Structures are given as structure tokens and as C-alpha cells.
Amino acid sequence: MQIGFIGLGVMGAPMAANLIAAGHTVHLHRVKESTEHLVEAGGHRAGSAADAAKEADVVILMLPDTPDVEEVLFGTDGVAGALRPGALVIDMSSISPVATRSFAERITGAGGGYLDAPVSGGDVGARAGTLTILAGGTTAAFERATPLLEVLGATITHVGDVGAGQTAKVANQIIVALTIQAVAEGLTFAGAAGVDPAVVREALMGGFASSRILEVHGQRMVDHNYDPGFRIRLHRKDLGLALGSARAMDLPLPHTASAHEFMNAAIAQGLGEADHSALHRVLGNAAGRAAK
Amino acid sequence: MQIGFIGLGVMGAPMAANLIAAGHTVHLHRVKESTEHLVEAGGHRAGSAADAAKEADVVILMLPDTPDVEEVLFGTDGVAGALRPGALVIDMSSISPVATRSFAERITGAGGGYLDAPVSGGDVGARAGTLTILAGGTTAAFERATPLLEVLGATITHVGDVGAGQTAKVANQIIVALTIQAVAEGLTFAGAAGVDPAVVREALMGGFASSRILEVHGQRMVDHNYDPGFRIRLHRKDLGLALGSARAMDLPLPHTASAHEFMNAAIAQGLGEADHSALHRVLGNAAGRAAK
Amino acid sequence: MQIGFIGLGVMGAPMAANLIAAGHTVHLHRVKESTEHLVEAGGHRAGSAADAAKEADVVILMLPDTPDVEEVLFGTDGVAGALRPGALVIDMSSISPVATRSFAERITGAGGGYLDAPVSGGDVGARAGTLTILAGGTTAAFERATPLLEVLGATITHVGDVGAGQTAKVANQIIVALTIQAVAEGLTFAGAAGVDPAVVREALMGGFASSRILEVHGQRMVDHNYDPGFRIRLHRKDLGLALGSARAMDLPLPHTASAHEFMNAAIAQGLGEADHSALHRVLGNAAGRAAK
Amino acid sequence: MQIGFIGLGVMGAPMAANLIAAGHTVHLHRVKESTEHLVEAGGHRAGSAADAAKEADVVILMLPDTPDVEEVLFGTDGVAGALRPGALVIDMSSISPVATRSFAERITGAGGGYLDAPVSGGDVGARAGTLTILAGGTTAAFERATPLLEVLGATITHVGDVGAGQTAKVANQIIVALTIQAVAEGLTFAGAAGVDPAVVREALMGGFASSRILEVHGQRMVDHNYDPGFRIRLHRKDLGLALGSARAMDLPLPHTASAHEFMNAAIAQGLGEADHSALHRVLGNAAGRAAK
């Protein structure tokens, strides 16, 4: 299949590599020195977003934030002006659900198809092709995308109409952020009370407190290992999406709002580029204290 | 072994039954009509806490709150006055870690042994003998208690010195409460944005948002099934223990404090006896809204 | 003086009336039936923002939100295209400090002057000409605007450079929102504990708890008088500005974020158009309860 | 009048001095070197609480916390055992409203009268005899106490039945704490955005944001003057009373709970003995930043 792929960052580059390895013709926008290997592996250089899109059956986007997607789709030399009739845009970035619905309307109005399909699983999942993919769009669009999504991910869910994938991703980021806070407060309490957080983490893994976050991020807190992983600054962006959407719906998300403030505090303390498990530090867990 | 067992409620009664079934001689304090079956199964009636304790090698307590434990141990006709030299008190109630250390000091000062060993796993685990048990005390006390704890639970951890079991239990309750809030805000967000919370819950179970709470309580929220389970009023008590201990340590637990307020709000709205998954309701999820 | 006046709402209309009454030639954009009286009083109809600006020495804006100001200044038939060299734009709307700095740059780049001068004091103050005005801009711009501002307000402060007026207004809205929450929680506590909130309000007015909010909004809470006044929906907009700016500065504003969520909850409960003192209601003060 | 006075701390000592100066016979419990001047001024030494009470028409207490009042009233050599029939206990400490009702019941059961009459106004007000006094009890008790209260305070309110004084004091402490947070977040926002907090404070004093806290504590924040004043550790105690009572009433006090956590954080950062305006520091206002 002819694929345009735009956004060759930490996530996008290995995803594009997997599509090339699966035998697709992939037109790559913005090949840099660090992604030159994708061309060596058989990818094609495209001079612009339009250029990546013009022969494509499917255009995949993997970009940092809402304005980046808007620019690539509708800016100068953007995808929208070059898209073949009936071609499908799959936006795998994590962006605003509200903006997604508006982008989809403009693309479908111009004769294209649109699927939002944000992912979780990190760069490890991107390389291994085991991402969790949350897709929103028509059944036709989802079915058409499925063979490609199966190259990229292991758990693929058609969550609902266009925007539903982004909504589910935001829900995911809310739950992950607050579960990190949960584990941070629980283990900090134990440590401050003189009980070894490592033992508590282990003991609680069998019961109702068990979670992937307790397992993975709890271990990071115990080890004071804050190398990203997923950076606090990026997670704050996602909670910003949640709170912006919630505001538009008059929906209170009190703990999400509180977690957003703790991310602000963490960033102000110089932890913006640390893994989100470093939220633990805002409660006063310098290495010495938490280590007993 | 001669065992005194004090506290025959929803949890205590099936635990006592398991000890009787394992062949121990169990002296039961406060047999009521609803627990008469324990006598039929071979348990012995005791007229007071002292009476339950006087021949016991081990006295097990399973009581609602800190003052109940204090009364049973040190009140009129209490355990402390009747305890045989060298007998072991195992407090399996969930109470204050600080009070626990003081109770243990008084019991050991009087020649007894003390182990705090609160549990999680609910009445289902109590009946099945599969509780998670978090024990605090000396290695000698823990080893002596182990054969009995193995009758009652499946995962048994010696967390640390006396009080450490209660501390770990509090940490557990913090994490469980905040993870419920996490799932509540995530699924509420999805539902309010028009995406089916049931599908989102399912889709997220594969990734970093996965937890026992998402699995079990998430399903309850989807189904609007708030039959307890674990009551909000009791969970609030546990967060009260957390916040009281944290205050004594000058430790900020901001999200725990917030969750405590939401439990207050839930109780004020008449949800005190509902399962803690009903915290979901405080965000405005009447049956209609969350059900789409 | 020749004045263009754009934005004839609840605040803008009486402000324009005061300028006309002070003898200025005022070009009014968007005269509706409800503001026809301004023309009868001597105001001049303008067909567009450009039309209001083209002969003006000073153009005053009093608009709802940031995008409205952007549209009026830089949209089709906007102020920017018609502004005379050296004319001064005074934006008295409450909008984003960050956007303000960018608007000012564009206007000054085109040869105009710019002063941000948001107000507090409500429609009562607008009619009486007793507004509190918080101005940001060069000393030259402030001095030039002063004679007009003195027609409109009683307390006029040159807070700092361009944007400083908006920043001070945001600070004002933060303080007002949180002081309302303060009074709401204090009086609710008293009422719930069986003490008359009216007596408590009166007793506390002499001490450190005294504030304009306790005096005015406290009385509203006592009386269950929630006619606006200043609407919760508008106050939420202002806290949204605060949180957006804070995010850009990595600044934690935890109580502001919490108050924003309570405004969301109030709006979800149908109180969006009520006076902000109705935040009191979110704590459970239905008429019956707070009235004892 | 014969007065027993128990509690000669920073507040109690000058209050006792004022009563002596007004011509009363004052029996002083626990005269220390630092309060020897009260004896020189005509006060009488009492060897115990009972000794201070035994000839008194009125016994005044000014003690740190609930357990201190309980001990002095009902402990060994306590007031209750020595109180003359018909004598009046006036508790001017700030303690639990719930405990107050129980203490009053025991004292009246024993034939005495009881008035709770906590104060605000600090040691400055105590010395000057200008305290704000919030009294709870019967009208008879209040009228009997009034001549003495007028020696001690300037604004004296009979708030309601026994406990109502303590309830009003708690409401006061809630409002003061949250208004400090309000001012802290508002001025911090302004400072972080590059606007001088001193100018903003001054500009806002005319409008709806004005309060005693903005005036006094706002100036402290501007000056980084955190000498107490009223210590964060004591204010936390008062919010603890609020939250404990609220819990007993199933009442949510979300911002009070949040402020309590920020006091915990401040104390953990070593600010427990600083004036409560130092809550400002928890948002990151080191001297350098807030000073521009």
C-alpha cells in the first residue's frame, strides 16, 4: 500500500520502520540525519506534507500536539490540498478530541476519510509493534485501517465515532496520572512512617491496590529512577487537554485538576523532563527520605 | 492451639469458623444469634474478653476501630488483665498505627507478645481463607503466628516492626481510594464526551491504566452496581487514619485529603453505605448520564 | 475628544454614556435597540469597528473575551486597518495577559498606542463612574488615557507595562473566587453545626476574617440571594485565563484550580448564570439547610 | 469579683493582667518566672487548678488545646472537683466544639455554669483589651460574663448556645486560612507574571478583593516578613478541628482540606513556627522570586 507518514520522532520513526518492514511503500516527511536509516531501509523522501500525501492511499500522522496536526493538514503545502479522493487520514497523535472532530469534518468534506487512532505503550511498544491503539471513526474507516494498525499494535479497539479514540486516550492519561498520585501518596506515607516502601509495594501487589502503575512506577519510586519513560511535561499537556474538554462540557474533574497543579509544581522544581513517576518527589521524597 | 477470638462481625465470624475447622480450640467473645453456628461447629462461648483470653496461647482481635481495640484490651474485664505470660495478641483490625505501637508496648510490658496483622480481601477472602495479611511485629511473633495466619490468608507479608502492618494497610487504603477516583474521573470523562465507558474500560485494561480497580470497580461504575462491597463510610474512616497519622508526621497527602472530602460529600448525599465505587456518583453520574 | 467605543454590553453601554455626558464625541459600534438611547444622548452610529476607529483619537474596547478583541482589532473591517497614526487603543475588556502583549505589539508596530485597562466594580460601578481600573502600558499612554479613565472610574492604578493591567485583573479574580470559597466553607460549617450564619458573619466582620466578600457575598449566602451580580460562568472564564497563564509559567495555583472545578460543578448543576456567591450551593446549602 | 485564671501564656498573661488592673481578685494557676509580674501587680498564686477555682465566682481558661482543657477541668486536682455551686466556667481557649458541649454538660451536671468564649485578635488585642470574643452558652451565662468580657475585648457577640462560640471561631479560622491562600495565589500569580505584587496589593485594596488579610498578610508577603503573628502550626491545629467536626457532620470542606495539606507541606519545609502568611512560600516564593 502507498502510505504517507508524517512525524518521525521517538514514536513515529519505529512505527514507520515497521510499516516499511511489512512491505509497504512509505513516503516519509522530514527525514533527518537521525532517521536516515528509514530511507536506507526502503522509505521514500517527501519534500513536504503535501508531497508525502499526494500518492498515498493512507496518510498517517504522529505529531506532538494539536497545532502541529492542524498545520500539517491545512497549512501551506499541507495534506488536505494534496489528498487523493478517497484516501484515508489516520491521526495517531494524542490531541484534542474537539479539534479532532473539526479536522475530520474538513477532511471528509474534501472527500477523504478520517480515523483518530492515538496509542499508548511508549517507544518500547512502538519498536515492538505492540502498541495499544484506541480508534475513533466510521466502521468503514476502521476496517480499512485495521491491516496497518495490526502492524503497529497488539491491542486495537474501535472505541466509537470520530474523536472517540482521542477521548479514550485522554481518559487513559487521567487514570494513569491519578494512579501515579495514588501510588506516590501511599508509598510516601509508608516510607515516612518508617516502613520500607519496597516491601509495601510487593505486599500490596496481590490485592485491590494492584496496578501496572504500582508494579512499574512504584518500582521506579522505590529505586528513585526517574529517567523517562514518559515525561511530566508531556503528561501535563494531556491533562491540559482533559481539563480543556471538561471545561467545555461543564464537567468537574477535581483530582485531575489537582494532579495538573502538582505537575506544574514538579516542572517548576525542575522535573519537567523527568519520568512522571517523579511526581513522587513533589511530596518531599528526596532520595534520602524515601530510602529510609 | 487455644485461641481467643474477639470480634465476630462480617469478617471475624468466617475467620473464626476457619480456625475452628482447622482443629483449634477457639474461645468466642460475644456470640450472637447470627454467630450461634460457630458454637455448633465447636467454638466455645466466652463471657468477656478476659474470659476469651484467659486460657489462650493466642488472642485474635477483629474489631471496627481504634477505640474498640483499646476497650477490649485494656477496659474492664479486658484481655490485658487475663493474658497468660507469653501469650500472643494478634490484632487483625484496621486501626491507627500510632495507637498500635502504644498498645503493643503495654501488652509486651505486661509479658505478652503483639502482632498487628490487618487484612484486605473483604468477606469473600475471609470465607475462602485467601486474605492478604500485612503483619508488623518481631520476627519471633511473626513466626509464631504464621501457622494461624496461613489458615486465614493466602498472601502473608511480614512488613516490619510493630505498627508496620497497620501502616501498610493505610497505604493500601490510600492507593485504593485514589485509584477509584482515577477510574471515576477517567470513565466519567469518556461518558460525558459521548464514548461508551464500558468500551473504554475494556480497551484500557491492556495498558498502563490497568488495575484491579479498573477491572472490578470500573465494571461496577459501568453497571451502576453500588451494593457493598466495601462501604464509603468505612473507607472514609481509613483515610481519616491516614490523614491523622500524616498530620502527626507533618506529611502532605493532598489527593488523599481531597478523596476524603469526596467521601464526605458522598456520605452527605446519602451514599455512605454504598460501595466505594459510588464515589463515581459525586461527579454527577446519575444512572442516566453514565449509561449514555 | 473623538472616541471610538466598541462593545455596548452591560458594562460598555453605561461607560459610553458617561463619556458622552462628559462632552466627548463618541462613535458607537453595534448600536442595538437596547442601546438606542446612547444615540439619542448624542452618540454617533458606526457601521463597523473600522468605522468607529477611523476618526478617533482614542478607541475603547469593552468586549467579552480574547477572541472578540482579536476579531475587532484585526478581523475584516477591524480597528487596526483604520487607526489614525498615533491614535490610542484602550482595551478595558478582561482578557489574556499573553494575548494582550501580542495585540499591543501589532498595534504599536502599526503606529498606534496601546493600554490595557480592565476594570472591576460591576455594572453598578460602570453606571456611577466609580470603577476600579487597572492599567498596563507606557507612562505616556497611561497619562494620555487618564482624563478619560477618570470619567469612568474612581480608583485608577498604573500597574506596570502592557499586559500588567490584565495580570492584575486576573490576580483580582483569583482572590475574589477563593475568598468566596473561604466564606462559603466558613459559613456552611457554622450553619451545619447549628449556629446561625447571619450571626457568625456579623461577629466576624470585626476581625481578621473581614473582607468585602464576607460583607457582600456573605450576606447573599445568608439570604440565598443568587441574582447576578457576577455570573459563575464568567468567573470561570477568568480562572481559565489564570490557569492558562500559570501553565505557561509552570506556576502551581492549587486552590485556584480547585475553585475552577467547583465552578464546573456549579455550572453542571445549573448555576452557571447565578451570582458567584452561589458556589455556596455546591457544598450542599440548599435553602432549607443553610437557613437552619 | 473572685476569678480563677488558668493558662498564663502569650494570650492568657495579658488578659489576667487586665482583669487584675480592673480591680478583680484573680487566682493564678502556674505562675512562672515570666509571669511573676502578675503577682507583683496583685494576683494570687494558686497551687493547682482546684486551688484557683475553689473560691472563684468565675473560672477563666486560656489553654492550648482540647486535651489541656479536659485535664484542667476533670483531671487530678481539677476545676470540677473544687467548683463552688453556681460558679461559672468561661473557656476562652480555641478547642473542639464537640468536646465543648460534653465538657459543658459535665460542669452544669455538677451545678456550675459554662460559657465558651474563644477570641481572635492575637497578643496585641489581648494586651490592649480589644479582643473579638465569640461566646456560646445560655443568655444567663452570657450576661453574667459580659462585665468581665468587656474588660478583655472590644467586640463581643453572643453567637448561640454552648459550643457556638467555638464553632464561630472555627469558621473564622477557615475563612482566615483560605483568604491567606487567596491572597498568596493572587500575588504569586502577579509576581510570576512580572507585575509588582506591592502595586497589585495596593490597587486591589479598593475593590471586591479587599480584606484585612490582603491588607495585613498581603503586606507581609510583599515584605517577606514571616515573624509570627499567628503560627502555621497553630493554624493547622484549628483546621484540624474544622475537619474533625466536618467529618462528624459528613460535611465536605474541600478547600479547607487542601489548605490543611499546604500547612502540612509548609511545616515539612520548616515553616511551622513562621507566621501563617508564609503559606505564600509553599507556592515557590523564595525571597528572590517574589521580590521581582
Side-chain angles (χ1 to χ4, degrees), chain A residues 97-98 101 159-168 170-171 242 245-246 248-249 251, chain B residues 185-197 200 285 289-290 292:
Chain A
V98 176
R101 281 186 284 269
V159 186
D161 292 338
V162 82
Q166 298 295 355
T167 295
V170 169
S245 295
M249 298 188 289
L251 177 72
Chain B
E185 296 202 4
L187 295 187
T188 297
F189 177 85
V195 180
D196 186 346
V200 171
N285 291 284
R289 173 170 179 170
K292 282 152 292 172

Side-chain angles (χ1 to χ4, degrees), chain A residues 185 210 251 255-256 258 289, chain B residues 185 212 251 255-256 258 289:
Chain A
E185 296 203 3
S210 74
L251 177 72
H255 298 84
T256 305
S258 177
R289 175 171 178 168
Chain B
E185 296 202 4
R212 278 290 296 282
L251 178 72
H255 299 84
T256 305
S258 178
R289 173 170 179 170

Side-chain angles (χ1 to χ4, degrees), chain A residues 157 159 170-172 175 178 181-182 185-186 189 192 195 208-213 249 251 253-256 258 262 289, chain B residues 159 170-172 175 178 181-182 185-186 189 192 195 203 208-213 249 251 253-256 258 262 289:
Chain A
T157 307
V159 186
V170 169
N172 184 75
I175 294 174
L178 295 185
Q181 295 283 4
E185 296 203 3
F189 177 84
V195 181
F208 272 112
S210 74
S211 64
R212 277 291 296 284
I213 297 295
M249 298 188 289
L251 177 72
L253 292 180
H255 298 84
T256 305
S258 177
F262 275 78
R289 175 171 178 168
Chain B
V159 187
V170 170
N172 184 75
I175 294 175
L178 295 185
Q181 294 284 3
E185 296 202 4
F189 177 85
V195 180
F208 272 112
S210 73
S211 64
R212 278 290 296 282
I213 297 295
M249 299 188 289
L251 178 72
L253 292 179
H255 299 84
T256 305
S258 178
F262 276 78
R289 173 170 179 170

Side-chain angles (χ1 to χ4, degrees), chain D residues 110-126:
Chain D
Y114 199 97
L115 193 77
D116 52 301
V119 308
S120 77
D123 56 332
V124 175

Side-chain angles (χ1 to χ4, degrees), chain C residues 159 170-172 175 178 181-182 185-186 189 192 195 203 208-213 249 251 253-256 258 262 289, chain D residues 157 159 170-172 175 178 181-182 185-186 189 192 195 203 208-213 249 251 253-256 258 262 289:
Chain C
V159 187
V170 169
N172 184 75
I175 294 175
L178 295 184
Q181 294 284 4
E185 296 202 4
F189 177 85
V195 180
F208 272 112
S210 73
S211 64
R212 278 291 296 284
I213 296 296
M249 298 188 289
L251 178 72
L253 292 180
H255 299 85
T256 305
S258 177
F262 275 78
R289 173 169 179 170
Chain D
T157 308
V159 187
V170 170
N172 184 74
I175 294 175
L178 296 184
Q181 295 284 4
E185 296 202 4
F189 177 84
V195 181
F208 272 112
S210 73
S211 65
R212 276 292 295 283
I213 298 296
M249 299 187 289
L251 178 71
L253 292 179
H255 298 84
T256 304
S258 177
F262 275 78
R289 175 169 177 173

Side-chain angles (χ1 to χ4, degrees), chain B residues 88-159:
Chain B
L88 177 67
V89 172
I90 308 179
D91 179 21
M92 305 190 75
S93 324
S94 290
I95 68 164
S96 159
V98 176
T100 290
R101 279 187 285 268
S102 134
F103 297 164
E105 206 170 310
R106 292 166 72 181
I107 291 291
T108 54
Y114 199 95
L115 192 78
D116 52 301
V119 308
S120 77
D123 56 331
V124 175
R127 280 193 296 274
T130 58
L131 293 166
T132 293
I133 302 178
L134 304 160
T138 61
T139 302
F142 179 70
E143 286 179 354
R144 202 165 141 207
T146 298
L148 294 181
L149 300 181
E150 284 175 345
V151 173
L152 301 170
T155 311
I156 300 157
T157 307
H158 184 202
V159 187

